[in-house]
Amino acid sequence: MASSRFLHALLTVGLLAVSQATQAQWSAANDEANRQRMMASMRAQDAANDRAAADRAFQAGLEQQRSLGSGSSPSSSSSGSGGMGTPLDGLAAALGRGNQSSGGPQSVVDRRTYIIHQQETSKQVVARLFAEAEGGNPESAWNLGRLYYTGYAGVPRDDAQARRWFATAGERGHAEALANLGYFAHEGIGGPQDPALALDATARAAAAGSTYGAGLNGIYRLSGLADGQLDPVAVANLERAADAGELFAQAALGTIVYALGVGTAENWERAAHYARLAAEQGHGASMTELARMMFVGRGVAQDQRGAVAMFRRAAEAGDPGGMSFLGQLYMTGQGVPNDVAAGLELFRRAADLGHPGAQGVYGLSLMLGQGVAKNVPEGLRYIRLGAARNDPQALTVLGKMTFVGEGGITSDERRGIELLQAAAALGGQDAIETLAMDEVQQAMRRLGIAQTVTPTSGPKVRMGGKPKR
């Protein structure tokens, strides 16, 4: 059974989603980010290859001019620069030779990872790579898969073809193709989801030297653990990827693995180390986690001023968690001037970005008219959003309103109790106390609903809020 803590944490930091609707939205966004990452890599390779070709041509031009300068040609001796001409003259001459240069077309270096000849159409590129891949060239199969996945160079995007060619290259030992095959299999891109293939392909990718594959394998292994189960291989794979600069691995180690003790023992020093690395790469949720550690001095020296600055950075980076924590500081006046309006505005921004806790806080503020103009329908909308994402406060508020029939909601005692029980199971103290009320207990007995939380001791209070004498 998958670790519930790990899955919830992955959702929180934007690495995974749990509900089907959110899963689909996250998968689409992550898939597009992965395409863009690969596209950027391909553009960078092409630019580097072209620079290398130009450098070779430049050097060839210099050699040509040196040769001309040492000869006895009348034209060279008449040059105003002593017969040497200029390096740019040599570059133009070298480029003008085209296919006569030893390196082939000048837009292509002798050994490049990604190859598109200067005058090829997209159809010709695919045809050439197809022939090379069919002939057993794993690099061409890998590049063919990348072309189909990204739609680079005008090639129509085709995930099924991309998956096919990643698999072909992977069968021939190509590490990055194996990593991407594992990713495709895990996400169900270009074919069915296949968790077993995802684990196998990423493990083989890691063994073949892919740090991206190692990181994916670590994530996939940890998501299959039961709570409390250890997996040193998964953690080692994530560390290997993180130490090589893989952002998602740094974020997972810093905000989940070492912070929550998933797959290994809690280690706040290691959590802070990897959260800082991810924060330096601009990962908002890692900035938020690092700020939390700085604020209380866990894993790092306590630095509340630095923590507030880091929360601001996270909020500016668009992380709803950072907005929510900074909003809480403003509303309580911790480390910043007390400013309820500024705090609620941050909660609103976080709520609109889908942060369930912020949806609960802002929704309740709207319903009560605390710090903002009272607006029950709009507050209820936010409460419903938070409850759908399992925020305890939102579940509690919605459960109470559903039980008694408030805010335009038709009374439904059974549904109200179910919502309260869900909140109580998540540790919502208000929900636990509400379930202990006399009229809720009576309704549970009348409806035959089993007791899931031990009622707390203390005065019995009616749903209307008056103590029962």
Side-chain angles (χ1 to χ4, degrees):
M1 178 181 177
S3 167
S4 59
R5 286 194 305 161
F6 185 70
L7 293 175
H8 178 73
L10 284 175
L11 170 62
T12 302
V13 300
L15 297 175
L16 188 63
V18 177
S19 70
Q20 289 184 348
T22 308
Q23 174 87 45
Q25 183 181 24
W26 178 88
S27 294
N30 188 59
D31 181 43
E32 184 57 32
N34 198 48
R35 289 180 202 269
Q36 293 302 321
R37 160 182 159 142
M38 188 175 287
M39 185 98 65
S41 171
M42 295 163 79
R43 289 194 186 105
Q45 286 175 5
D46 276 346
N49 292 331
D50 288 338
R51 285 195 300 271
D55 287 344
R56 290 192 312 159
F58 183 78
Q59 293 301 322
L62 287 178
E63 290 299 321
Q64 181 189 48
Q65 294 306 317
R66 291 192 187 100
S67 175
L68 290 173
S70 62
S72 57
S73 165
S75 62
S76 64
S77 63
S78 65
S79 169
S81 59
M84 286 294 291
T86 68
L88 290 178
D89 294 333
L91 174 60
L95 288 175
R97 288 199 302 268
N99 289 340
Q100 295 175 11
S101 75
S102 62
Q106 290 301 315
S107 63
V108 183
V109 295
D110 291 328
R111 179 75 174 111
R112 63 190 293 178
T113 303
Y114 183 77
I115 303 173
I116 294 181
H117 293 278
Q118 192 172 24
Q119 301 301 320
E120 287 183 313
T121 66
S122 61
K123 288 184 178 180
Q124 289 171 328
V125 170
V126 172
R128 174 172 55 79
L129 290 177
F130 183 87
E132 293 170 357
E134 286 286 297
N137 187 324
E139 196 70 30
S140 293
W142 157 241
N143 282 323
L144 197 54
R146 292 204 293 172
L147 283 177
Y148 279 122
Y149 182 42
T150 62
Y152 192 67
V155 175
R157 278 173 46 172
D158 188 329
D159 289 344
Q161 285 293 327
R163 181 165 174 161
R164 171 196 172 189
W165 290 109
F166 287 154
T168 299
E171 289 170 359
R172 295 163 185 166
H174 195 289
E176 296 306 324
L178 282 166
N180 280 272
L181 174 62
Y183 171 72
F184 273 42
H186 187 270
E187 297 299 317
I189 299 171
Q193 283 188 310
D194 189 336
L197 175 59
L199 277 171
D200 177 69
T202 54
R204 289 162 58 202
S210 170
T211 55
Y212 177 56
L216 289 178
N217 184 257
I219 291 287
Y220 299 161
R221 288 177 68 106
L222 290 179
S223 64
L225 292 182
D227 284 334
Q229 188 176 354
L230 303 182
D231 190 338
V233 172
V235 177
N237 277 340
L238 276 172
E239 286 204 345
R240 177 182 159 199
D243 292 343
E246 293 287 356
L247 174 58
F248 74 94
Q250 293 169 348
L253 289 167
T255 64
I256 303 171
V257 175
Y258 283 123
L260 299 177
V262 175
T264 188
E266 282 187 7
N267 186 324
W268 286 99
E269 288 74 20
R270 299 294 287 168
H273 169 71
Y274 284 111
R276 190 178 299 278
L277 289 178
E280 289 171 353
Q281 291 204 59
H283 189 252
S286 294
M287 295 178 195
T288 297
E289 186 63 27
L290 181 60
R292 291 177 60 191
M293 289 186 265
M294 293 168 67
F295 197 84
V296 299
R298 173 174 273 184
V300 293
Q302 188 173 25
D303 180 3
Q304 292 194 351
R305 173 180 282 185
V308 170
M310 187 63 71
F311 278 131
R312 288 191 194 282
R313 281 185 57 196
E316 290 167 359
D319 178 55
M323 296 174 193
S324 185
F325 275 104
L326 188 58
Q328 184 177 347
L329 294 181
Y330 271 113
M331 292 187 70
T332 57
Q334 298 181 73
V336 293
N338 183 264
D339 189 335
V340 173
L344 283 174
E345 174 59 17
L346 284 162
F347 273 117
R348 183 197 64 76
R349 288 171 55 197
D352 287 342
L353 288 171
H355 190 281
Q359 289 166 340
V361 170
Y362 190 65
L364 184 59
S365 297
L366 284 169
M367 295 187 72
L368 299 177
Q370 293 180 343
V372 290
K374 188 173 183 178
N375 188 331
V376 174
E378 184 68 356
L380 182 56
R381 183 179 74 83
Y382 279 105
I383 289 294
R384 288 188 187 279
L385 289 172
R389 298 286 297 278
N390 290 323
D391 174 60
Q393 178 171 269
L395 285 166
T396 301
V397 172
L398 188 59
K400 289 180 178 181
M401 295 178 69
T402 302
F403 185 90
V404 300
E406 288 183 346
I409 299 175
T410 302
S411 176
D412 185 337
E413 291 183 339
R414 181 179 294 279
R415 179 57 182 157
I417 291 168
E418 289 173 350
L419 290 166
L420 289 167
Q421 287 181 329
L426 292 168
Q429 188 58 37
D430 189 14
I432 293 172
E433 293 174 358
T434 301
L435 286 168
M437 294 178 181
D438 277 350
E439 57 192 290
V440 178
Q441 289 288 305
Q442 291 168 7
M444 291 175 70
R445 288 192 290 271
R446 184 174 65 255
L447 295 170
I449 299 175
Q451 187 77 251
T452 58
V453 179
T454 303
T456 57
S457 59
K460 302 296 184 182
V461 182
R462 292 185 180 275
M463 293 294 282
K466 296 181 180 180
K468 182 179 180 181
R469 298 184 183 279

